[in-house]
Amino acid sequence: MTAFLELRGVSVRLGRFELEVDAALSEGWTALFGPSGAGKTTLLEIITGLRRPDAGRIVMKDRVLVDAAEKISVPPHRRKIGYVPQDLALFPHLDVRANLVYGSPVAKAEDESEFQHVVERLEIVQLLDKKPDALSGGEKQRVALARALLARPELLLLDEPLSALDAPLKERIIPFLQRVRDEFRVPTLYVTHAADEVVALCERAIVLRAGRIVADGPVSDLFVLRESPGYRLR
Amino acid sequence: MHPSPRRLVLALALLLGLSPALFAADVQVFAAASLTDVLQAIAKDYEAKSGDHIRFNFAGSNVLARQIEQGAPAAIFISADEAQMKNVAKAGLVDAATQRDLLANTLVIIAPNDSTLANFQPVDFTKPEIKRIALADPRTVPAGVYSKAYLEKLGLWSKVEAKVIPTANVRAALAAVESGNAETGMVYKTDASMSKSAKVIFSVPQADGPKIVYPIALLKTSTGDDAAKKFLAYLESPAAGAVFVHYGFLTEK
Amino acid sequence: MSSLDWPAIGLSFGAATLAVLINLVPGVGLAWLLARRAWPGKSLVETIVTLPLVMPPVATGLLLLELLGRRGWLGSMLHSLNIEVVFTWKAVVAAMAVMSFPFVVRNARVALEAVGTRVEQVAATLGASPWRVAWTVTLPLARRGIAAGAVMAFARALGEFGATILVAGNIPGSTTTISTSIYSDILLGHDGDAYGLIVVSIGLAFVAILASELLVRERRL
């Protein structure tokens, strides 16, 4: 396993809460699993560059993104790390098409076909001229995901994408996400507190609790099927 | 139940002790802005002697006349020209028996202390280096009305009208010259003599200039007000007259 | 029938427009700094910006007079360049700009805070530099609130009196505004003319406030 993203001694203190992590992400989908308040969103903010850690080093594919000791911090707009926050944050003043192309590089012939590809795969072709406030919850999800993918990130961070959805909708979307995972092959850090999502979508998992990593490894090692529907942590 | 004798004596003593305050009267005087310093000095002496309290409202006489017409509670009005007193009289508010001319004044042309203007004559207003002439608003404020009348008499008004900076009252005209924002101005001699940052560069001889008088009158609403009548009499007395002269006014008799 | 002081109306309108235009970029810029950044001296600046709202206008006018008069710190420099400010239309614009600045800043700040940082953060992760984020995301979303602030600033500038009359005087033909013209009409006893101007100023204020309300209310984004 080659480390795609390395976090060494990354720590931050927010009031009484302290986050401290050492981890290495491989390519593929990794879950960031833990209860609310564990520090998952904070860790995402640090990885994207929206928050500075007090100490530590973050390296992605030989590129130093953060080195607190050397006072290095690459600004978010240069990290090539896509981020879909929990509230999606679609640009309300732009239509879907303008939202989608916001982060993508200058339009060229192949970009146009890539645009078509992503739009078809995420089944949002019919939404292109609509404004975000005219979309349903699931449609907004897909648009936000497509927007992040079109920016060609090297790493994708998804913050609890399915937490706002009810069980039936979740069941329909999970296979969809699996297809996206297999087709676009972007290394992804998938944040969730739902064990079934971890098992369905990710090969590895990092378990975060109260600001510390308590487990880190293959999902099959960490999660076990329990009697009532669902998975639980070993 | 009757209060005890002790209580009665106490109450009486308290009443007597307060009586100067109870019997001290307030006299409301509306007076032209140019009288600010001299009247405040006179009032200080008077208050010490009489125990009455004089309240002043100083502004351009046109503003005061307007306020009185609208019902402002003035007991005595001292205007800087006859026109404004006439306005108030027309509204039927003046006790005509008490009206007389209290003071006279003359006009001067002033410049900031560091001004290099020398041997100034009114005709020099037309020179190009004089860009601004500060006057109390010549349409409404007596000091400005007088200044305009004088300049018209000399045939200069139409030539210098564009340079005039009209101010709300004569003190504001003085301030404009003192600050250097206007190179010249015209104010009363009494205003100029008070100023430390502006100097007189020409005095309008009293014979040439307009007749500047300050009429004083009791307002009808205060005909029964003894304190007001007492102060009015004091203003016309030699004691007050000496102070007026000290400040540069001319007393009328 | 009264006659309207058209030069005064024209000057009020033109000077108020110029004042708001002068305030717009610095005002929105400062609002952005106040809304998005913490920095030493921030509370002091917030207080100074609010002062013209709270101080008596004539007091602000006096400070302006000290600053812009021929002997003043700024005025003396301009005077040596042969530029006169006090007692000219430029002083009218200056007084209006100072008195209406707080409206631009405060409204813009509220609008920017309402946009929130989330969309800005996502825009950054999509590769947009801070300038691009401000231009393509923040400002378009804050546009209505900023416009409302500009309209309120305009209305305040139109109604400005206390500071204006001190620094610009009320010189017929060059620095009379709607407000100062009403004032002198009253002093001169020309009540008919005064009422005419009063109707004009109420009408303008009405339109300004209505526009401001519509801008803020329509379609909350």
Side-chain angles (χ1 to χ4, degrees), chain A residues 164-181:
Chain A
L165 305 180
D166 56 22
L169 195 49
K170 251 208 213 186
E171 247 174 81
R172 280 199 289 137
I173 297 213
I174 284 187
F176 184 83
L177 285 176
Q178 287 169 333
R179 286 205 307 273
V180 168
R181 175 194 67 192

Side-chain angles (χ1 to χ4, degrees), chain B residues 49 102 231-244 251 253:
Chain B
K49 288 186 213 161
L102 184 64
F231 186 58
L232 185 66
Y234 183 76
L235 287 174
E236 293 166 1
S237 70
V243 183
F244 281 122
T251 52
K253 248 311 165 251

Side-chain angles (χ1 to χ4, degrees), chain A residues 77 81 83 87 93 102-103 147, chain C residues 118 122 124 126 128 132 136 141:
Chain A
H77 67 278
I81 296 178
Y83 177 44
D87 59 6
H93 61 299
Y102 189 84
R147 179 177 65 175
Chain C
R118 181 61 95 202
V122 170
L126 289 169
R132 184 166 171 235
T136 60
L141 287 174

